[in-house]
Amino acid sequence: MRNCRLCRAEGRGTDPVGGAPAPGVPGYDSAGLAVLNKGIKTRKVKGRVADLASAVPARFKGGIGIGHTRWATHGVPSDVNAHPHLDSSERIAVVHNGIIENADELRAKLTADGAEFASETDTEVLAHLIARTVKDTDTLADAVRTALKSVVGTYGIAVLDAERPGEVVVARNGSPIVLGIGEKEMFAASDVAALVRYTRQVVHLEDGELAVLDSDGFHTFTMDARETAKEPLTVDWDAGHYDTGGYEHYLLKEISEQPETVARTLRGRLDDRFHIAHLGGLNLTPHETRAFRRVKIIGCGSAYYSGQIGAQLIEELARIPADAEPASEFRYRNPVVEHDTLYVAISQSGETYDTLAAVQELKRKGGRVLGIVNTVGSAIARECDGGVYLHAGPEVSVASTKAFTSTAVAFGLLALHFGRVHDLSPADGRRICEGLRRLPGQIAEILEKEQEIAELARKYAGHPSMMFVGRVRGYPVAREGAQKLKEISYVHAEAYPASELKHGPLALIGPDMPTVAIVPDDELLDKNLTTLGEIRARGGQVLMVGHRVAEPKLVDDCIVVPKNEVELDPILLTIPLQIFAYHAAVALGRDVDKPRNLAKSVTVE
Ligand code: F6R
């Protein structure tokens, strides 16, 4: 085995350490690596992988290595708090994603027992614990297993033992670990993205599994040492998916890819004969589908907002009551799980801890859960009873764009499918099928307006705060627009239902607080135009995003997008807001792909 690479940003993001700085390594604050070469050699720095690369001497070589990018939870970002962490005798080195909840208690016990801690991290506890047990066990795997028995919390770890230079042990509980199978070499990472430039044969560990990697391959075990059988999966993403393709940022590349990614989500799934959607992975008979009385959608952040669009689509097309809720809230409120409710979990990464925990809670209570997931073989995909893959390709930039639209499109398919099983007429089925097919071309038309939208972004970016409003179908669009703006440009943005403005937030409106108003041409158009008048009457500027140019007395600026069916319009109305946020962030000189404090895959609570 030449390599074991396990990387994290305290549970978020991955980066193959030692090569060129990799894409998709968001928000991390320090980086480090350890190699085995007559003992363990380490280099750790506060900063980015590029800083680590400059700190590593030319002759820093070893047969096996582990590396990591950290996103601080315990102790400030610093060289000493960066991973890997070693025990005092420097026999054991550990990198860790997740959080050890009883770290303080374990630290006190170990200190009383003579251990000397170098860092403030929870992870160092693991190095000392394993070092204590390794002397009395036959294998490193046994030592790791014994040590982990006293640990409460989440982890994805990789462990080196200076006295067993032929192997690396990795273990998972709540933080992803993926093995990569190479030619006479093995890899491990917290994300497939870190592996695809070396291999496309991967194995996902389950929670409670441990693996031993050596030059011959790998063996996986349960925590009570029973060997488990794993089938490698071939991932269809390759290294080419992880370059910027000539764009200045991954975000712009991913926004621009949407005609193609939406087409991929739709491909092979629309049936023009019966005007239905074919979704082979649902694992639901028409009889079972009819038996559901409600649909509950869960996801976090932008995934949750796309779920709100999905809930509306399902209610409108299938007339099944549906609503969306943040998975991070759902999991903690002891939800009532009903046998006639269908649960739908959304996740681009498939590894978001809050969403995974919510799915697991649902499964414990006997709930039927579908997944709408982008990453094939990810933890959430494995946990669900069936679902829909997005086929949007890897999303590298921290802010979700193409996965958001593909999720909304997947909900269009799901709602069409449920609708046609219920009471959606063939004529309406045809209308939605045709509308879905028009989306890629219409997205391409919106992308042609990039320069116009960029100018508006530069005009509005200087304001400290912006309001986003929308009514009913427009409300999730407003929420997603505000989310995109705040996360990548750091401009404060509030999203409100347009109907709620007069119940409080109107007090904020004035020359310093422009409003982005989502105003589709639907049955609520007049009401929305009245709201614009109310904003203008209070001195607020209005940037309207809709299907027509409104009178100058109501708006300062308009972005006009192509019209689709009213149910599908929210998907198109989102695209200009992505472009707007991107150019606002560029105008303000932000780190567009890696906004501060954030990371791509949130695998911690
Ligand atoms: C926002 C964003 C996040 C994610 C959220 C869920 O642009 O990217 O809000 O949508 O963290 O992530 P996934 O979809 O991977 O579960």
Side-chain angles (χ1 to χ4, degrees):
M1 178 172 58
R2 284 215 319 261
N3 286 295
C4 166
R5 302 158 193 251
L6 184 123
C7 316
R8 77 155 180 181
E10 198 96 350
R12 303 172 50 131
T14 59
D15 182 19
V17 172
V25 193
Y28 65 90
D29 50 55
S30 48
L33 79 164
V35 292
L36 270 181
N37 184 355
K38 297 188 198 116
I40 296 175
K41 294 183 173 168
T42 57
R43 277 293 182 284
K44 315 198 292 186
V45 296
K46 178 181 168 190
R48 300 249 158 162
V49 171
D51 303 311
L52 178 64
S54 352
V56 171
R59 300 179 63 79
F60 192 83
K61 293 201 172 115
I64 300 180
I66 55 178
H68 190 264
T69 52
R70 173 171 188 255
W71 184 74
T73 59
H74 291 67
V76 294
S78 68
D79 292 0
V80 85
N81 284 337
H83 300 207
H85 290 288
L86 277 64
D87 69 297
S88 321
S89 72
E90 303 198 346
R91 173 169 175 181
I92 296 294
V94 180
V95 290
H96 162 228
N97 285 350
I99 293 177
I100 307 301
E101 285 164 20
N102 61 341
D104 289 348
E105 186 195 317
L106 292 171
R107 178 183 277 259
K109 274 194 202 150
L110 287 159
T111 308
D113 203 24
E116 284 177 21
F117 279 79
S119 77
E120 302 157 89
T121 64
D122 53 338
T123 303
E124 194 183 338
V125 161
L126 294 173
H128 290 282
L129 272 179
I130 298 167
R132 250 137 236 255
T133 50
V134 78
K135 296 179 212 133
D136 307 322
T137 49
D138 294 336
T139 67
L140 177 59
D142 282 342
V144 171
R145 237 185 315 260
T146 308
L148 290 177
K149 282 196 182 126
S150 42
V151 164
V152 178
T154 54
Y155 49 79
I157 55 169
V159 185
L160 290 184
D161 177 356
E163 293 188 18
R164 291 190 178 92
E167 66 183 28
V168 173
V169 171
V170 296
R172 163 180 179 143
N173 181 42
S175 282
I177 293 282
V178 196
L179 313 182
I181 305 167
E183 291 279 320
K184 293 200 186 313
E185 59 182 349
M186 283 295 299
F187 305 90
S190 56
D191 194 312
V192 170
L195 300 174
V196 290
R197 68 173 82 167
Y198 308 102
T199 177
R200 288 164 68 184
Q201 292 287 303
V202 304
V203 171
H204 292 269
L205 288 198
E206 302 295 335
D207 278 348
E209 256 184 334
L210 172 150
V212 180
L213 281 60
D214 63 27
S215 52
D216 295 329
F218 69 96
H219 292 274
T220 53
F221 303 90
T222 59
M223 283 300 167
D224 52 8
R226 273 179 295 119
E227 188 149 5
T228 51
K230 308 289 284 188
E231 274 300 310
L233 192 83
T234 306
V235 288
D236 59 3
W237 298 350
D238 60 28
H241 283 101
Y242 293 93
D243 64 44
T244 53
Y247 287 92
E248 200 176 330
H249 297 103
Y250 284 100
L251 190 65
L252 186 57
K253 177 189 178 208
E254 287 161 8
I255 289 172
S256 307
E257 276 173 350
Q258 290 176 107
E260 174 54 25
T261 51
V262 165
R264 281 211 300 268
T265 305
L266 292 172
R267 193 160 297 151
R269 288 169 163 172
L270 288 173
D271 180 326
D272 288 322
R273 191 156 159 232
F274 300 109
H275 316 302
I276 54 175
H278 287 298
L279 294 165
L282 294 188
N283 302 330
L284 284 174
T285 63
H287 186 72
E288 287 170 321
T289 305
R290 281 198 75 92
F292 290 117
R293 293 277 153 265
R294 267 170 300 282
V295 177
K296 177 88 190 174
I297 301 164
I298 52 171
C300 293
S302 290
Y304 158 53
Y305 302 142
S306 65
Q308 284 198 305
I309 295 181
Q312 283 179 8
L313 277 161
I314 290 171
E315 282 208 352
E316 287 198 74
L317 298 180
R319 301 307 294 154
I320 306 173
D323 76 321
E325 180 177 342
S328 47
E329 289 284 297
F330 180 84
R331 61 173 290 217
Y332 285 118
R333 67 170 178 80
N334 192 19
V336 177
V337 175
E338 294 162 307
H339 69 278
D340 56 359
T341 298
L342 177 66
Y343 296 88
V344 183
I346 309 166
S347 180
Q348 186 286 127
S349 61
E351 301 289 351
T352 298
Y353 189 74
D354 282 326
T355 311
L356 179 61
V359 172
Q360 287 167 339
E361 177 73 1
L362 281 167
K363 300 300 303 273
R364 266 193 293 276
K365 293 182 167 177
R368 181 82 172 245
V369 194
L370 296 183
I372 296 190
V373 174
N374 195 31
T375 309
V376 174
S378 54
I380 293 169
R382 296 199 304 277
E383 198 75 43
C384 288
D385 299 300
V388 183
Y389 278 123
L390 300 180
H391 302 304
E395 204 178 55
V396 174
S397 196
V398 166
S400 187
T401 52
K402 62 178 181 172
F404 180 93
T405 42
S406 278
T407 304
V409 169
F411 271 116
L413 291 165
L414 201 61
L416 172 66
H417 175 73
F418 290 167
R420 293 289 290 119
V421 172
H422 284 266
D423 299 323
L424 191 72
S425 68
D428 272 332
R430 164 185 275 174
R431 185 173 65 77
I432 297 301
C433 279
E434 288 173 357
L436 287 167
R437 282 197 204 288
R438 284 200 299 278
L439 288 172
Q442 290 180 315
I443 296 173
E445 280 178 51
I446 300 171
L447 294 174
E448 281 167 21
K449 291 176 181 268
E450 185 191 338
Q451 285 323 314
E452 178 195 324
I453 300 170
E455 250 176 61
L456 291 169
R458 288 189 281 273
K459 171 176 168 184
Y460 286 93
H463 291 278
S465 195
M466 289 187 77
M467 182 70 80
F468 284 68
V469 296
R471 245 188 192 81
V472 187
R473 296 185 197 101
Y475 177 47
V477 177
R479 295 188 88 182
E480 175 59 7
Q483 162 100 338
K484 283 290 90 72
L485 185 68
K486 65 186 136 193
E487 69 183 328
I488 59 171
S489 76
Y490 319 151
V491 172
H492 172 244
E494 292 249 11
Y496 261 90
S499 52
E500 280 287 299
L501 215 49
K502 57 183 173 297
H503 297 293
L506 201 55
L508 292 170
I509 298 296
D512 285 343
M513 172 79 112
T515 298
V516 176
I518 315 305
V519 186
D521 250 3
D522 63 8
E523 68 282 7
L524 299 171
L525 177 65
D526 288 343
K527 296 215 175 309
N528 279 323
L529 294 177
T530 305
T531 305
L532 303 190
E534 288 165 7
I535 296 168
R536 286 294 295 263
R538 274 115 191 132
Q541 290 181 77
V542 173
L543 166 58
M544 174 177 137
V545 181
H547 297 117
R548 59 171 78 188
V549 176
E551 290 174 58
K553 69 171 193 253
L554 295 179
V555 298
D556 295 271
D557 297 287
C558 284
I559 301 172
V560 177
V561 304
K563 178 94 187 72
N564 198 301
E565 302 303 321
V566 282
E567 298 91 338
L568 301 175
D569 277 332
I571 301 170
L572 294 172
L573 290 163
T574 311
I575 312 283
L577 303 182
Q578 298 171 344
I579 303 172
F580 183 84
Y582 170 76
H583 282 286
V586 170
L588 294 168
R590 308 300 190 218
D591 194 348
V592 175
D593 286 327
K594 298 170 192 162
R596 67 184 180 203
N597 305 339
L598 298 178
K600 187 65 190 159
S601 188
V602 187
T603 56
V604 288
E605 295 191 63

